[in-house]
Amino acid sequence: MSQHSELELCVGQLEQRLGSLGEALRLHHADAVESEAAALQRALVAAVDQLRHGARAGRLPASLRQRLALASAQVVTQREALARASAALDRAIEVLLPSATPRSAYSAAGLSERPARPGMLQA
């Protein structure tokens, strides 16, 4: 099998894994998200290995570069969607299960940095 066909196969697997992970995220299926994320990591390792070999052997075809750029954009999109879903879940949990101690200061994540003390003036 030629270097370019092996790389195309790896990129195809990477695209398939990204699609499967996107579908699992869309369906909010936690077990599938976990297994697809692991499969995506394996596909990424294989693709990076093939890219290293391909870079040594010569220039990558424009079609493969374009497919890799699209895959990279999908990863960014899925990462942002996951971050938004995680933040929404954190807010929902905070509403349903508020902290037992009142908050007097907040960190960058919005969590209390120090507990309120008696006799302390609070705004």
Side-chain angles (χ1 to χ4, degrees), residues 37-55:
L40 176 60
Q41 286 178 334
R42 289 189 299 273
L44 281 168
V45 168
V48 167
D49 187 46
Q50 286 298 319
L51 281 169
R52 277 193 201 120
H53 293 304

Side-chain angles (χ1 to χ4, degrees), residues 46-78:
V48 167
D49 187 46
Q50 286 298 319
L51 281 169
R52 277 193 201 120
H53 293 304
R56 288 186 201 130
R59 193 175 162 118
L60 291 175
S63 62
L64 279 178
R65 283 196 311 267
Q66 184 178 11
R67 287 172 64 193
L68 286 168
L70 287 172
S72 177
Q74 280 184 301
V75 168
V76 169
T77 301
Q78 288 179 354

Side-chain angles (χ1 to χ4, degrees), residues 84-105:
R84 283 191 302 273
S86 179
L89 179 61
D90 289 345
R91 286 190 303 272
I93 289 173
E94 181 63 27
V95 167
L96 294 173
L97 303 169
S99 174
T101 59
R103 295 184 175 158
S104 60

Side-chain angles (χ1 to χ4, degrees), residues 4-79:
H4 287 301
S5 20
E6 287 180 29
L7 185 54
E8 283 188 31
L9 180 64
C10 284
V11 171
Q13 297 225 339
L14 183 64
E15 291 166 334
Q16 179 185 4
R17 292 289 140 217
L18 281 167
S20 297
L21 179 59
E23 184 65 12
L25 286 168
R26 188 183 69 75
L27 295 174
H28 304 287
H29 192 278
D31 291 336
V33 168
E34 188 174 338
S35 66
E36 290 301 334
L40 176 60
Q41 286 178 334
R42 289 189 299 273
L44 281 168
V45 168
V48 167
D49 187 46
Q50 286 298 319
L51 281 169
R52 277 193 201 120
H53 293 304
R56 288 186 201 130
R59 193 175 162 118
L60 291 175
S63 62
L64 279 178
R65 283 196 311 267
Q66 184 178 11
R67 287 172 64 193
L68 286 168
L70 287 172
S72 177
Q74 280 184 301
V75 168
V76 169
T77 301
Q78 288 179 354
R79 185 181 303 139

